[in-house]
Amino acid sequence: MSSTIAGNGEKSLVLASGRAHPELANDVARELGIDLLPTTAYDFANGEIYVRFGESVRGADVFILQSHTAPINQWIMEQLLMVDAAKRASARTITVVQPFYGYARQDKKHRGREPISARLMSDLFTAAGADRLMSVDLHAAQTQGFFDGPVDHLWAMPILTDYVRTRVDTSNVTVVSPDAGRIRVAEQWAAKLGGGPLAFVHKTRDVTRPNQAVANRVVGDVEGRDCVLVDDLIDTGGTIAEAVRVILAAGARSVIVAATHGVLSDPAAQRLSECGASEVVITDTLPIAAEKQFPQLTVLSIAPLVARAIREVFDDGSVTSLFDGNS
């Protein structure tokens, strides 16, 4: 296969990838029917990163894919350097593809003297030379406004709902939000799963203690129901595991957890495997190391969605059309 796709006129599509998630990059390239752009990348002894593209990108529409996984700062820096390299190599356009947007949870100031790190992320990619950003299920939709250019906000919901629909009795499903703030997403899930009732877990959080929240009770009827607990990401798994226990204690017949991003920082795998959920369904926007996997875990491929969105952007098509107007 070639490392470029020819488009209308003189346009050509090039897909490059950092080292964070090579499996996803290869899957996206396969969906597009091209090879990844040959790239040399390595670390110097002091931790500095070197990158160089092995072929010309002059005049090409370059898509640079990198999953912001741990060690997150290293992979963000590598992607920034790749953007700068593409700009200096005279790429026609540069699209940053971030299946998981690093620092997305730091999208506002909770207290004085804090940064708005999600905004800084967009500023860094602008300074590096990015023309466009593409990401999947941003933690807060308003993050799209931080970048002064087009942002393609992709939704994994169709992938997740299509799978979950095969795992539950849709006539007996209650969709549960892990907190009151994500009720809107739960409503969309419920509509996709047949319009069943909603519930949410009332929880409290101390903003001075990261990755810690207390699930108090379920608001809504879950007794005897097959519940689908939905969220955008799972990090240490504490909030989700406690929510599952609270839902089961309220009389639910079963609980499936569904989330887009599996950050799965320790001890998430242990917590999720022991919380009582019958299945935990995520996508592969982030790599899932062998030690983070457990019997109840199901990982769905995000590559077809990302590849379709890349092709729509390259062809000047409609990314929104991928989601029936819901993007």
Side-chain angles (χ1 to χ4, degrees), residues 269-299:
Q270 179 181 354
R271 285 173 168 170
L272 294 170
S273 65
E274 298 174 352
C275 70
S278 59
E279 192 170 4
V280 177
V281 185
I282 60 175
T283 75
D284 62 349
T285 56
L286 295 165
I288 310 299
E291 63 271 17
K292 294 183 178 182
Q293 298 181 19
F294 50 95
Q296 300 94 326
L297 182 67
T298 297
V299 182

PDB file of all heavy atoms in Angstrom, residues 269-299:
ATOM      1  N   ALA A 269      -8.286  -1.821  37.437  1.00  0.00           N
ATOM      2  CA  ALA A 269      -8.623  -3.180  37.010  1.00  0.00           C
ATOM      3  C   ALA A 269      -9.156  -4.009  38.175  1.00  0.00           C
ATOM      4  O   ALA A 269     -10.153  -4.732  38.039  1.00  0.00           O
ATOM      5  CB  ALA A 269      -7.405  -3.849  36.388  1.00  0.00           C
ATOM      6  N   GLN A 270      -8.504  -3.915  39.308  1.00  0.00           N
ATOM      7  CA  GLN A 270      -8.961  -4.673  40.478  1.00  0.00           C
ATOM      8  C   GLN A 270     -10.326  -4.190  40.938  1.00  0.00           C
ATOM      9  O   GLN A 270     -11.226  -5.000  41.226  1.00  0.00           O
ATOM     10  CB  GLN A 270      -7.947  -4.544  41.611  1.00  0.00           C
ATOM     11  CG  GLN A 270      -8.355  -5.286  42.879  1.00  0.00           C
ATOM     12  CD  GLN A 270      -7.347  -5.124  44.005  1.00  0.00           C
ATOM     13  OE1 GLN A 270      -6.282  -4.546  43.823  1.00  0.00           O
ATOM     14  NE2 GLN A 270      -7.686  -5.629  45.182  1.00  0.00           N
ATOM     15  N   ARG A 271     -10.490  -2.891  41.026  1.00  0.00           N
ATOM     16  CA  ARG A 271     -11.771  -2.343  41.485  1.00  0.00           C
ATOM     17  C   ARG A 271     -12.914  -2.768  40.569  1.00  0.00           C
ATOM     18  O   ARG A 271     -13.986  -3.176  41.038  1.00  0.00           O
ATOM     19  CB  ARG A 271     -11.689  -0.822  41.537  1.00  0.00           C
ATOM     20  CG  ARG A 271     -10.893  -0.268  42.706  1.00  0.00           C
ATOM     21  CD  ARG A 271     -10.715   1.237  42.574  1.00  0.00           C
ATOM     22  NE  ARG A 271     -10.212   1.833  43.806  1.00  0.00           N
ATOM     23  CZ  ARG A 271      -9.789   3.091  43.916  1.00  0.00           C
ATOM     24  NH1 ARG A 271      -9.808   3.879  42.843  1.00  0.00           N
ATOM     25  NH2 ARG A 271      -9.345   3.552  45.068  1.00  0.00           N
ATOM     26  N   LEU A 272     -12.704  -2.663  39.266  1.00  0.00           N
ATOM     27  CA  LEU A 272     -13.775  -2.965  38.326  1.00  0.00           C
ATOM     28  C   LEU A 272     -14.088  -4.458  38.272  1.00  0.00           C
ATOM     29  O   LEU A 272     -15.244  -4.853  38.101  1.00  0.00           O
ATOM     30  CB  LEU A 272     -13.397  -2.455  36.933  1.00  0.00           C
ATOM     31  CG  LEU A 272     -13.278  -0.933  36.801  1.00  0.00           C
ATOM     32  CD1 LEU A 272     -12.666  -0.557  35.458  1.00  0.00           C
ATOM     33  CD2 LEU A 272     -14.624  -0.254  36.977  1.00  0.00           C
ATOM     34  N   SER A 273     -13.070  -5.277  38.431  1.00  0.00           N
ATOM     35  CA  SER A 273     -13.295  -6.723  38.389  1.00  0.00           C
ATOM     36  C   SER A 273     -14.026  -7.220  39.621  1.00  0.00           C
ATOM     37  O   SER A 273     -14.655  -8.276  39.588  1.00  0.00           O
ATOM     38  CB  SER A 273     -11.964  -7.462  38.239  1.00  0.00           C
ATOM     39  OG  SER A 273     -11.146  -7.276  39.377  1.00  0.00           O
ATOM     40  N   GLU A 274     -13.960  -6.468  40.713  1.00  0.00           N
ATOM     41  CA  GLU A 274     -14.545  -6.906  41.980  1.00  0.00           C
ATOM     42  C   GLU A 274     -15.822  -6.166  42.366  1.00  0.00           C
ATOM     43  O   GLU A 274     -16.421  -6.470  43.397  1.00  0.00           O
ATOM     44  CB  GLU A 274     -13.516  -6.732  43.111  1.00  0.00           C
ATOM     45  CG  GLU A 274     -12.260  -7.579  42.932  1.00  0.00           C
ATOM     46  CD  GLU A 274     -11.191  -7.287  43.981  1.00  0.00           C
ATOM     47  OE1 GLU A 274     -11.392  -6.310  44.749  1.00  0.00           O
ATOM     48  OE2 GLU A 274     -10.183  -8.008  44.030  1.00  0.00           O
ATOM     49  N   CYS A 275     -16.269  -5.194  41.547  1.00  0.00           N
ATOM     50  CA  CYS A 275     -17.374  -4.327  41.974  1.00  0.00           C
ATOM     51  C   CYS A 275     -18.751  -4.947  41.762  1.00  0.00           C
ATOM     52  O   CYS A 275     -19.745  -4.442  42.291  1.00  0.00           O
ATOM     53  CB  CYS A 275     -17.289  -2.979  41.257  1.00  0.00           C
ATOM     54  SG  CYS A 275     -17.656  -3.051  39.483  1.00  0.00           S
ATOM     55  N   GLY A 276     -18.838  -6.002  40.958  1.00  0.00           N
ATOM     56  CA  GLY A 276     -20.132  -6.633  40.716  1.00  0.00           C
ATOM     57  C   GLY A 276     -20.711  -6.358  39.345  1.00  0.00           C
ATOM     58  O   GLY A 276     -21.777  -6.901  39.006  1.00  0.00           O
ATOM     59  N   ALA A 277     -20.066  -5.553  38.530  1.00  0.00           N
ATOM     60  CA  ALA A 277     -20.541  -5.308  37.169  1.00  0.00           C
ATOM     61  C   ALA A 277     -20.418  -6.586  36.344  1.00  0.00           C
ATOM     62  O   ALA A 277     -19.403  -7.289  36.414  1.00  0.00           O
ATOM     63  CB  ALA A 277     -19.751  -4.189  36.517  1.00  0.00           C
ATOM     64  N   SER A 278     -21.434  -6.880  35.552  1.00  0.00           N
ATOM     65  CA  SER A 278     -21.382  -8.081  34.718  1.00  0.00           C
ATOM     66  C   SER A 278     -20.444  -7.896  33.533  1.00  0.00           C
ATOM     67  O   SER A 278     -19.869  -8.860  33.026  1.00  0.00           O
ATOM     68  CB  SER A 278     -22.781  -8.439  34.216  1.00  0.00           C
ATOM     69  OG  SER A 278     -23.330  -7.375  33.452  1.00  0.00           O
ATOM     70  N   GLU A 279     -20.255  -6.643  33.095  1.00  0.00           N
ATOM     71  CA  GLU A 279     -19.370  -6.359  31.970  1.00  0.00           C
ATOM     72  C   GLU A 279     -18.979  -4.886  32.020  1.00  0.00           C
ATOM     73  O   GLU A 279     -19.763  -4.029  32.426  1.00  0.00           O
ATOM     74  CB  GLU A 279     -20.069  -6.677  30.644  1.00  0.00           C
ATOM     75  CG  GLU A 279     -19.156  -6.683  29.434  1.00  0.00           C
ATOM     76  CD  GLU A 279     -19.846  -7.247  28.190  1.00  0.00           C
ATOM     77  OE1 GLU A 279     -21.051  -7.557  28.269  1.00  0.00           O
ATOM     78  OE2 GLU A 279     -19.176  -7.364  27.154  1.00  0.00           O
ATOM     79  N   VAL A 280     -17.744  -4.606  31.615  1.00  0.00           N
ATOM     80  CA  VAL A 280     -17.249  -3.232  31.484  1.00  0.00           C
ATOM     81  C   VAL A 280     -16.832  -3.055  30.033  1.00  0.00           C
ATOM     82  O   VAL A 280     -15.910  -3.719  29.561  1.00  0.00           O
ATOM     83  CB  VAL A 280     -16.060  -2.954  32.423  1.00  0.00           C
ATOM     84  CG1 VAL A 280     -15.532  -1.542  32.214  1.00  0.00           C
ATOM     85  CG2 VAL A 280     -16.462  -3.167  33.885  1.00  0.00           C
ATOM     86  N   VAL A 281     -17.533  -2.161  29.319  1.00  0.00           N
ATOM     87  CA  VAL A 281     -17.335  -1.993  27.881  1.00  0.00           C
ATOM     88  C   VAL A 281     -16.688  -0.635  27.629  1.00  0.00           C
ATOM     89  O   VAL A 281     -17.213   0.397  28.049  1.00  0.00           O
ATOM     90  CB  VAL A 281     -18.672  -2.079  27.122  1.00  0.00           C
ATOM     91  CG1 VAL A 281     -18.430  -2.030  25.614  1.00  0.00           C
ATOM     92  CG2 VAL A 281     -19.431  -3.339  27.507  1.00  0.00           C
ATOM     93  N   ILE A 282     -15.545  -0.642  26.950  1.00  0.00           N
ATOM     94  CA  ILE A 282     -14.847   0.586  26.596  1.00  0.00           C
ATOM     95  C   ILE A 282     -14.394   0.502  25.137  1.00  0.00           C
ATOM     96  O   ILE A 282     -14.539  -0.536  24.499  1.00  0.00           O
ATOM     97  CB  ILE A 282     -13.624   0.839  27.502  1.00  0.00           C
ATOM     98  CG1 ILE A 282     -12.618  -0.314  27.386  1.00  0.00           C
ATOM     99  CG2 ILE A 282     -14.045   1.055  28.949  1.00  0.00           C
ATOM    100  CD1 ILE A 282     -11.326  -0.092  28.147  1.00  0.00           C
ATOM    101  N   THR A 283     -13.828   1.584  24.617  1.00  0.00           N
ATOM    102  CA  THR A 283     -13.216   1.555  23.287  1.00  0.00           C
ATOM    103  C   THR A 283     -11.704   1.627  23.450  1.00  0.00           C
ATOM    104  O   THR A 283     -11.187   1.853  24.545  1.00  0.00           O
ATOM    105  CB  THR A 283     -13.701   2.723  22.407  1.00  0.00           C
ATOM    106  OG1 THR A 283     -13.078   3.934  22.827  1.00  0.00           O
ATOM    107  CG2 THR A 283     -15.216   2.871  22.470  1.00  0.00           C
ATOM    108  N   ASP A 284     -11.011   1.484  22.334  1.00  0.00           N
ATOM    109  CA  ASP A 284      -9.550   1.487  22.379  1.00  0.00           C
ATOM    110  C   ASP A 284      -8.958   2.840  21.990  1.00  0.00           C
ATOM    111  O   ASP A 284      -7.932   2.918  21.321  1.00  0.00           O
ATOM    112  CB  ASP A 284      -8.974   0.378  21.501  1.00  0.00           C
ATOM    113  CG  ASP A 284      -9.325   0.531  20.025  1.00  0.00           C
ATOM    114  OD1 ASP A 284     -10.186   1.388  19.705  1.00  0.00           O
ATOM    115  OD2 ASP A 284      -8.756  -0.193  19.191  1.00  0.00           O
ATOM    116  N   THR A 285      -9.612   3.933  22.415  1.00  0.00           N
ATOM    117  CA  THR A 285      -9.007   5.248  22.215  1.00  0.00           C
ATOM    118  C   THR A 285      -7.673   5.349  22.932  1.00  0.00           C
ATOM    119  O   THR A 285      -6.808   6.143  22.555  1.00  0.00           O
ATOM    120  CB  THR A 285      -9.917   6.373  22.733  1.00  0.00           C
ATOM    121  OG1 THR A 285     -10.226   6.134  24.122  1.00  0.00           O
ATOM    122  CG2 THR A 285     -11.214   6.458  21.930  1.00  0.00           C
ATOM    123  N   LEU A 286      -7.498   4.567  23.983  1.00  0.00           N
ATOM    124  CA  LEU A 286      -6.246   4.477  24.727  1.00  0.00           C
ATOM    125  C   LEU A 286      -5.791   3.022  24.735  1.00  0.00           C
ATOM    126  O   LEU A 286      -6.623   2.106  24.759  1.00  0.00           O
ATOM    127  CB  LEU A 286      -6.435   4.963  26.177  1.00  0.00           C
ATOM    128  CG  LEU A 286      -6.795   6.445  26.330  1.00  0.00           C
ATOM    129  CD1 LEU A 286      -7.305   6.724  27.740  1.00  0.00           C
ATOM    130  CD2 LEU A 286      -5.611   7.335  26.000  1.00  0.00           C
ATOM    131  N   PRO A 287      -4.486   2.776  24.740  1.00  0.00           N
ATOM    132  CA  PRO A 287      -4.021   1.388  24.789  1.00  0.00           C
ATOM    133  C   PRO A 287      -4.336   0.767  26.150  1.00  0.00           C
ATOM    134  O   PRO A 287      -4.238   1.429  27.183  1.00  0.00           O
ATOM    135  CB  PRO A 287      -2.508   1.517  24.568  1.00  0.00           C
ATOM    136  CG  PRO A 287      -2.180   2.904  25.036  1.00  0.00           C
ATOM    137  CD  PRO A 287      -3.371   3.747  24.713  1.00  0.00           C
ATOM    138  N   ILE A 288      -4.716  -0.494  26.135  1.00  0.00           N
ATOM    139  CA  ILE A 288      -5.024  -1.217  27.370  1.00  0.00           C
ATOM    140  C   ILE A 288      -3.943  -2.283  27.561  1.00  0.00           C
ATOM    141  O   ILE A 288      -3.936  -3.304  26.861  1.00  0.00           O
ATOM    142  CB  ILE A 288      -6.428  -1.871  27.321  1.00  0.00           C
ATOM    143  CG1 ILE A 288      -7.479  -0.849  26.874  1.00  0.00           C
ATOM    144  CG2 ILE A 288      -6.766  -2.466  28.684  1.00  0.00           C
ATOM    145  CD1 ILE A 288      -7.630   0.341  27.773  1.00  0.00           C
ATOM    146  N   ALA A 289      -3.032  -2.035  28.480  1.00  0.00           N
ATOM    147  CA  ALA A 289      -1.934  -2.968  28.733  1.00  0.00           C
ATOM    148  C   ALA A 289      -2.480  -4.275  29.288  1.00  0.00           C
ATOM    149  O   ALA A 289      -3.574  -4.321  29.878  1.00  0.00           O
ATOM    150  CB  ALA A 289      -0.932  -2.363  29.699  1.00  0.00           C
ATOM    151  N   ALA A 290      -1.732  -5.346  29.122  1.00  0.00           N
ATOM    152  CA  ALA A 290      -2.176  -6.668  29.559  1.00  0.00           C
ATOM    153  C   ALA A 290      -2.507  -6.695  31.035  1.00  0.00           C
ATOM    154  O   ALA A 290      -3.489  -7.322  31.464  1.00  0.00           O
ATOM    155  CB  ALA A 290      -1.101  -7.705  29.231  1.00  0.00           C
ATOM    156  N   GLU A 291      -1.719  -5.990  31.841  1.00  0.00           N
ATOM    157  CA  GLU A 291      -1.958  -6.006  33.295  1.00  0.00           C
ATOM    158  C   GLU A 291      -3.204  -5.225  33.698  1.00  0.00           C
ATOM    159  O   GLU A 291      -3.657  -5.324  34.834  1.00  0.00           O
ATOM    160  CB  GLU A 291      -0.737  -5.453  34.039  1.00  0.00           C
ATOM    161  CG  GLU A 291      -0.389  -4.010  33.754  1.00  0.00           C
ATOM    162  CD  GLU A 291       0.559  -3.842  32.580  1.00  0.00           C
ATOM    163  OE1 GLU A 291       0.703  -4.802  31.784  1.00  0.00           O
ATOM    164  OE2 GLU A 291       1.159  -2.753  32.451  1.00  0.00           O
ATOM    165  N   LYS A 292      -3.782  -4.441  32.762  1.00  0.00           N
ATOM    166  CA  LYS A 292      -4.999  -3.687  33.058  1.00  0.00           C
ATOM    167  C   LYS A 292      -6.261  -4.427  32.618  1.00  0.00           C
ATOM    168  O   LYS A 292      -7.368  -3.949  32.847  1.00  0.00           O
ATOM    169  CB  LYS A 292      -4.947  -2.321  32.378  1.00  0.00           C
ATOM    170  CG  LYS A 292      -3.875  -1.395  32.917  1.00  0.00           C
ATOM    171  CD  LYS A 292      -3.942  -0.037  32.227  1.00  0.00           C
ATOM    172  CE  LYS A 292      -2.907   0.924  32.787  1.00  0.00           C
ATOM    173  NZ  LYS A 292      -3.007   2.268  32.159  1.00  0.00           N
ATOM    174  N   GLN A 293      -6.098  -5.563  31.983  1.00  0.00           N
ATOM    175  CA  GLN A 293      -7.253  -6.295  31.491  1.00  0.00           C
ATOM    176  C   GLN A 293      -7.767  -7.263  32.549  1.00  0.00           C
ATOM    177  O   GLN A 293      -7.012  -7.720  33.408  1.00  0.00           O
ATOM    178  CB  GLN A 293      -6.882  -7.027  30.203  1.00  0.00           C
ATOM    179  CG  GLN A 293      -6.469  -6.069  29.088  1.00  0.00           C
ATOM    180  CD  GLN A 293      -6.110  -6.776  27.802  1.00  0.00           C
ATOM    181  OE1 GLN A 293      -6.475  -7.923  27.584  1.00  0.00           O
ATOM    182  NE2 GLN A 293      -5.391  -6.083  26.927  1.00  0.00           N
ATOM    183  N   PHE A 294      -9.061  -7.554  32.485  1.00  0.00           N
ATOM    184  CA  PHE A 294      -9.702  -8.443  33.455  1.00  0.00           C
ATOM    185  C   PHE A 294     -10.877  -9.129  32.760  1.00  0.00           C
ATOM    186  O   PHE A 294     -11.307  -8.688  31.680  1.00  0.00           O
ATOM    187  CB  PHE A 294     -10.156  -7.663  34.703  1.00  0.00           C
ATOM    188  CG  PHE A 294     -10.957  -6.416  34.415  1.00  0.00           C
ATOM    189  CD1 PHE A 294     -12.342  -6.449  34.417  1.00  0.00           C
ATOM    190  CD2 PHE A 294     -10.319  -5.214  34.135  1.00  0.00           C
ATOM    191  CE1 PHE A 294     -13.082  -5.305  34.154  1.00  0.00           C
ATOM    192  CE2 PHE A 294     -11.045  -4.063  33.871  1.00  0.00           C
ATOM    193  CZ  PHE A 294     -12.429  -4.103  33.879  1.00  0.00           C
ATOM    194  N   PRO A 295     -11.396 -10.199  33.335  1.00  0.00           N
ATOM    195  CA  PRO A 295     -12.372 -11.031  32.609  1.00  0.00           C
ATOM    196  C   PRO A 295     -13.621 -10.296  32.133  1.00  0.00           C
ATOM    197  O   PRO A 295     -14.164 -10.620  31.076  1.00  0.00           O
ATOM    198  CB  PRO A 295     -12.727 -12.121  33.634  1.00  0.00           C
ATOM    199  CG  PRO A 295     -11.518 -12.222  34.503  1.00  0.00           C
ATOM    200  CD  PRO A 295     -10.982 -10.830  34.615  1.00  0.00           C
ATOM    201  N   GLN A 296     -14.096  -9.319  32.887  1.00  0.00           N
ATOM    202  CA  GLN A 296     -15.336  -8.635  32.512  1.00  0.00           C
ATOM    203  C   GLN A 296     -15.137  -7.531  31.481  1.00  0.00           C
ATOM    204  O   GLN A 296     -16.092  -6.891  31.055  1.00  0.00           O
ATOM    205  CB  GLN A 296     -16.002  -8.020  33.759  1.00  0.00           C
ATOM    206  CG  GLN A 296     -16.378  -9.020  34.833  1.00  0.00           C
ATOM    207  CD  GLN A 296     -15.289  -9.156  35.893  1.00  0.00           C
ATOM    208  OE1 GLN A 296     -14.095  -9.055  35.597  1.00  0.00           O
ATOM    209  NE2 GLN A 296     -15.697  -9.389  37.131  1.00  0.00           N
ATOM    210  N   LEU A 297     -13.890  -7.295  31.066  1.00  0.00           N
ATOM    211  CA  LEU A 297     -13.589  -6.165  30.184  1.00  0.00           C
ATOM    212  C   LEU A 297     -13.804  -6.524  28.718  1.00  0.00           C
ATOM    213  O   LEU A 297     -13.326  -7.555  28.232  1.00  0.00           O
ATOM    214  CB  LEU A 297     -12.137  -5.712  30.387  1.00  0.00           C
ATOM    215  CG  LEU A 297     -11.688  -4.491  29.569  1.00  0.00           C
ATOM    216  CD1 LEU A 297     -12.428  -3.240  30.022  1.00  0.00           C
ATOM    217  CD2 LEU A 297     -10.171  -4.297  29.686  1.00  0.00           C
ATOM    218  N   THR A 298     -14.516  -5.643  28.003  1.00  0.00           N
ATOM    219  CA  THR A 298     -14.687  -5.747  26.555  1.00  0.00           C
ATOM    220  C   THR A 298     -14.192  -4.451  25.927  1.00  0.00           C
ATOM    221  O   THR A 298     -14.600  -3.360  26.339  1.00  0.00           O
ATOM    222  CB  THR A 298     -16.162  -5.968  26.181  1.00  0.00           C
ATOM    223  OG1 THR A 298     -16.611  -7.207  26.728  1.00  0.00           O
ATOM    224  CG2 THR A 298     -16.352  -5.986  24.672  1.00  0.00           C
ATOM    225  N   VAL A 299     -13.315  -4.568  24.931  1.00  0.00           N
ATOM    226  CA  VAL A 299     -12.743  -3.395  24.266  1.00  0.00           C
ATOM    227  C   VAL A 299     -13.193  -3.377  22.807  1.00  0.00           C
ATOM    228  O   VAL A 299     -12.939  -4.324  22.062  1.00  0.00           O
ATOM    229  CB  VAL A 299     -11.199  -3.401  24.350  1.00  0.00           C
ATOM    230  CG1 VAL A 299     -10.635  -2.136  23.701  1.00  0.00           C
ATOM    231  CG2 VAL A 299     -10.729  -3.506  25.802  1.00  0.00           C
TER     232      VAL A 299
END
